[in-house]
């Protein structure tokens, strides 16, 4: 089997997800049995962007498996502040660690890192693009507490343009049968074109709507997200959209008695505090599931050992025009292209390429 990273949930087959989930269940029920599984292994955490849950859950996951963790959570304290390239940082850290967990503000950064790393790279969020391990937490919660993911009607609400957890979740849910998606967002925060093209290509059932209340009664899962302030180029656009969706106890009255409310957290104001005590509010449980799901993932990826990397072509001019794409910042990256929904896309950030 070829060397595996986790960059995009599309990298996993449904069978691989099921293996991770089954292991995760066993870890949840018999955590102590796993305390030496990654004994002697070292995880390098490169957090170029703020994080609470993802960073702590990856740290505690590795510690619970008997391994150790080093890294930074402020790039100002690393050589990046001196102008070091992502390539060089990854080359170095992959010599020290057995697995790299990276969060970076640039879209496609994890894919770029995987080209140079001798050890598996796990994408802990690349700009507004993808966040596959949050999706592990999301799916684990639905599978464990609902019993099945097939057939679920899910409302995904909030900033669907910039919310990376949303893009990964849609990619993952495409692997299941008869999922119905209600995509609830103001028009200017609708899903990016590449996600829509993917959904069309996969023949997924989806409705893009602007109102939360009319669709609430139809949902089995409501996935709330915050408006991603830090991704807005125009501060007025943030002001226009902040506070646009707020889930309250009153709105929940119209929901199914067993609907699950999920949220990747952090919450700003999109779920009122009085919802927290409703049995349908599963977001803190979801964060807990995330640690166990990451344990199951680490067991799988971190134990692959080191590999020798292939030489990588040196790029000269980025093909991709997305200003947030990693190829715009790290200009030596080779131009990589892939097909999505019939059109050519940047293989780092998925943006459609203009010819
Ligand atoms: C999310 C993220 O970082 O994308 N948080 C997380 O990892 N749990 C969601 C968010 O920041 O809104």
């Amino acid at each position: 089997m070829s060397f595996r990273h986790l960059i995009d949930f599309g990298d996993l087959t449904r069978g691989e997800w099921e293996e991770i989930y089954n292991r995760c269940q066993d870890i949840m029920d018999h955590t102590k049995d796993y305390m030496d599984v990654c004994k002697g292994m070292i995880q390098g955490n490169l957090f170029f962007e703020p994080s609470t849950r993802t960073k702590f859950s990856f740290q505690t996951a590795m510690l619970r498996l008997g391994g150790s963790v080093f890294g930074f959570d402020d790039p100002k304290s690393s050589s990046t502040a001196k102008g070091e390239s992502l390539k060089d940082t990854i080359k170095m850290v992959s010599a020290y660690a057995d697995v790299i967990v990276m969060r970076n503000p640039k879209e496609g950064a994890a894919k770029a890192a995987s080209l140079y790393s001798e050890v598996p790279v796990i994408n802990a969020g690349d700009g507004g693009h993808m966040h596959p391990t949050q999706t592990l937490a999301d799916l684990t919660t639905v599978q464990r507490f609902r019993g099945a993911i097939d057939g679920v009607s899910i409302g995904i609400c909030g900033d669907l343009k910039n919310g990376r957890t949303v893009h990964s979740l849609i990619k993952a849910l495409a692997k299941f049968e008869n999922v119905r998606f209600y995509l609830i967002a103001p028009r200017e925060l609708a899903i990016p074109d590449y996600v829509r093209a993917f959904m069309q290509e996969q023949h997924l059932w989806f409705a893009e709507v602007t109102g939360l209340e009319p669709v609430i009664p139809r949902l089995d899962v409501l996935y709330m997200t915050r408006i991603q302030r830090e991704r807005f180029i125009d501060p007025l656009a943030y002001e226009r959209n902040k506070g646009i969706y707020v889930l309250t106890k009153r709105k929940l009255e119209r929901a199914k008695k067993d609907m699950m409310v999920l949220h990747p957290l952090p919450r700003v104001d999109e779920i009122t505090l009085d919802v927290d005590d409703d049995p349908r509010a599963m977001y803190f449980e979801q964060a807990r599931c995330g640690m166990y799901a990451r344990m199951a993932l680490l067991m799988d990826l971190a134990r692959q050992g080191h590999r020798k990397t292939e030489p990588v072509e040196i790029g000269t001019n980025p093909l991709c025009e997305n200003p947030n794409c990693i190829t715009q910042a790290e200009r030596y990256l080779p131009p990589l292209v892939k097909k999505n929904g019939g059109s050519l896309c940047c293989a780092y950030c998925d943006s459609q390429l203009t010819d």
Side-chain angles (χ1 to χ4, degrees):
M1 202 187 240
S2 61
F3 195 79
R4 282 164 308 128
H5 306 276
L6 180 58
I7 307 302
D8 181 328
F9 209 95
D11 301 344
L12 292 177
T13 62
R14 181 166 172 165
E16 284 168 331
W17 145 253
E18 281 164 2
E19 266 178 46
I20 293 177
Y21 178 72
N22 290 336
R23 198 176 315 125
C24 174
Q25 285 272 89
D26 198 57
I27 297 173
M28 282 172 132
D29 299 335
H30 309 101
T31 312
K32 292 248 156 37
D33 292 355
Y34 289 83
M35 60 197 269
D36 287 332
V37 169
C38 286
K39 195 170 177 182
M41 310 213 74
I42 300 183
Q43 174 180 305
N45 272 2
L46 308 185
F47 279 75
F48 294 88
E49 249 194 358
S51 170
T52 307
R53 266 153 301 277
T54 306
K55 185 182 62 193
F56 288 158
S57 67
F58 263 114
Q59 280 175 348
T60 49
M62 190 44 125
L63 296 174
R64 281 181 189 275
L65 292 170
S68 14
V69 184
F70 73 98
F72 60 79
D73 49 19
D74 178 4
K76 289 195 208 85
S77 69
S78 77
S79 286
T80 307
K82 299 182 191 165
E84 184 168 69
S85 68
L86 181 66
K87 172 184 173 178
D88 289 2
T89 305
I90 293 295
K91 282 253 164 228
M92 291 312 309
V93 175
S94 77
Y96 305 146
D98 298 293
V99 58
I100 292 178
V101 176
M102 184 177 82
R103 169 169 288 191
N104 191 288
K106 291 288 172 192
E107 300 178 15
K111 167 81 186 167
S114 72
L115 301 177
Y116 303 106
S117 179
E118 291 170 28
V119 298
V121 174
I122 300 178
N123 184 4
D126 58 332
H129 182 226
M130 293 287 165
H131 192 350
T133 67
Q134 178 60 44
T135 304
L136 285 180
D138 305 340
L139 296 188
T140 300
T141 316
V142 178
Q143 181 75 51
R144 189 166 167 98
F145 296 99
R146 185 176 180 270
I149 299 173
D150 290 322
V152 74
S153 285
I154 182 167
I156 309 183
C157 178
D159 187 348
L160 310 192
K161 177 178 178 212
N162 300 301
R164 54 193 171 197
T165 68
V166 171
H167 311 151
S168 284
L169 181 59
I170 291 174
K171 273 252 167 125
L173 289 173
K175 297 178 192 294
F176 295 84
E177 304 295 325
N178 301 321
V179 176
R180 292 166 81 88
F181 295 87
Y182 293 89
L183 304 176
I184 310 155
R187 274 181 237 297
E188 63 181 320
L189 300 183
I191 48 167
D193 291 342
Y194 74 86
V195 176
R196 191 174 297 104
F198 169 80
M199 296 184 88
Q200 284 161 345
E201 187 187 41
Q202 301 281 315
H203 304 294
L204 303 180
W205 189 101
F206 68 102
E208 297 194 69
V209 299
T210 50
L212 168 60
E213 280 179 84
V215 299
I216 268 198
R218 300 189 211 163
L219 306 177
D220 302 311
V221 174
L222 172 58
Y223 192 92
M224 295 297 293
T225 64
R226 79 184 162 94
I227 308 296
Q228 307 270 307
R229 179 184 207 148
E230 69 279 24
R231 310 261 178 245
F232 281 75
I233 297 161
D234 173 8
L236 287 178
Y238 174 73
E239 291 301 319
R240 266 198 306 278
N241 289 294
K242 71 173 190 200
I244 190 159
Y245 299 111
V246 182
L247 180 66
T248 59
K249 210 166 165 55
R250 190 190 57 75
K251 287 183 193 162
L252 263 186
E253 282 167 16
R254 300 190 53 235
K256 291 184 187 170
K257 294 279 163 279
D258 59 353
M259 186 190 78
M260 283 173 132
V261 182
L262 300 183
H263 191 309
L265 302 176
R267 143 175 71 181
V268 181
D269 54 7
E270 55 283 343
I271 302 180
T272 53
L273 298 187
D274 57 1
V275 172
D276 294 358
D277 296 322
D278 189 294
R280 290 169 286 189
M282 297 294 290
Y283 26 93
F284 294 115
E285 191 58 43
Q286 183 186 357
R288 202 175 78 88
C289 284
M291 179 187 71
Y292 294 106
R294 288 178 173 108
M295 287 173 76
L297 177 72
L298 283 169
M299 274 180 63
D300 196 20
L301 295 191
R303 297 187 298 172
Q304 292 178 91
H306 283 235
R307 61 150 187 181
K308 203 169 150 35
T309 50
E310 299 294 328
V312 178
E313 177 194 339
I314 299 172
T316 45
N317 217 356
L319 280 180
C320 180
E321 288 171 7
N322 169 9
N324 298 323
C325 178
I326 187 70
T327 59
Q328 292 283 345
E330 310 273 334
R331 298 179 80 92
Y332 53 83
L333 287 167
L336 298 180
V337 173
K338 70 177 179 190
K339 264 205 153 163
N340 177 20
S343 37
L344 288 183
C345 292
C346 169
Y348 297 90
C349 74
D350 284 298
S351 291
Q352 285 179 4
L353 298 173
T354 46
D355 25 42

